[in-house]
Amino acid sequence: VRYPSGAALLLGLLLMPGALASAVAMIAMSKITERFDARFLIAVGAMILVSAAVFLSRINPDTGTATLFWPLVLRGFGTVMMFLPLSLATLGNLPMKDRAAGSGFYSLARQMGSSIGIAVITTTLAARESVHRAVLTEKITVFSPGTNDRLLMLKGAFAQHSSDPVAVKHQALSVIDQLINGQSLLLSFADVFLYVAVAFVCTLPLLLLLGRGGNRSAALAAH
C-alpha cells in the first residue's frame, strides 16, 4: 500500500510512542526479571495487552490519533513484558547441553504460533466483515429516511459535475457502498480486538505449566 508522504509521516508518529514504550520496557525488564517470578511478569504483561485490546475494540469512525495513543503505548510495553519473561520461563531452567535444541524448538513454536494466529485472525476478520456488511446493507433501503437524504445530498453534489442522471445515481450509490465497506471493516477489527483479549484471558491458566525462570542469559539469547 502506498501512502502519501503526509499520511506516512502521521502513521510513523502514531506508532513511535509504542516503539519507545517497547524500548523502555526492555530496559526495565532487564533489571527486574531476576527479582520476580517469570510467570507473574507474563501474567502482568498479558493483562496489559488485554487492556490495550479492550481499548482498541471500542474504535469507531470518530476515533482519532489521541484515542489510539495509550492503547498503542500499552501494547508496546505489554508485548515486551510478556515475551521476555516467557523466554526466561521456557529456557532458563534448561541444562547447558539442551539449550541449543530448546532455543531452536522455542523459536519454531513461536513462528508457527504467529503464522497460525495471523491466519486465524485474518479468517475471522473476513468473516466478521461479511456479517457486518450484511447487517448494514439490510438497513440501507428506499424506505429509510436517512438513506434517501444521503442519496439526495450525494446526487446533488455529483450533479454539479455531470448532466447524466444515471451516472450521478451510480456515483452516489458507489459512495454509499464504500461507506458500508469501511464501516463493516472497522466493526470487524473491533470484534477481532475483543476476541484477542478474551483469548489472552482464557490462556492465562497455562502459566501454571511453566517454570519460575532461571538463567537469564539463555532466555535473552533466544528472545
Side-chain angles (χ1 to χ4, degrees), residues 167-180:
V168 167
K169 182 178 180 180
H170 282 302
Q171 287 177 319
L173 292 174
S174 176
V175 170
I176 291 179
D177 183 64
Q178 292 175 9
L179 292 174
I180 293 173

Side-chain angles (χ1 to χ4, degrees), residues 24-100:
V24 172
M26 287 290 293
I27 298 173
M29 294 305 297
S30 67
K31 304 294 183 181
I32 66 175
T33 49
E34 293 182 346
R35 301 181 183 179
F36 295 92
D37 190 324
R39 294 170 295 184
F40 171 75
L41 296 175
I42 295 170
V44 173
M47 294 311 298
I48 291 175
L49 288 176
V50 168
S51 300
V54 171
F55 275 119
L56 292 172
S57 69
R58 300 175 181 175
I59 57 176
N60 57 69
D62 297 325
T63 299
T65 55
T67 308
L68 296 175
F69 176 83
W70 286 112
L72 293 177
V73 169
L74 289 174
R75 186 197 66 173
F77 193 91
T79 300
V80 175
M81 191 171 184
M82 186 179 71
F83 282 106
L84 188 58
L86 181 60
S87 302
L88 184 63
T90 305
L91 303 173
N93 292 323
L94 287 179
M96 181 68 70
K97 62 183 181 63
D98 296 329
R99 286 180 185 172

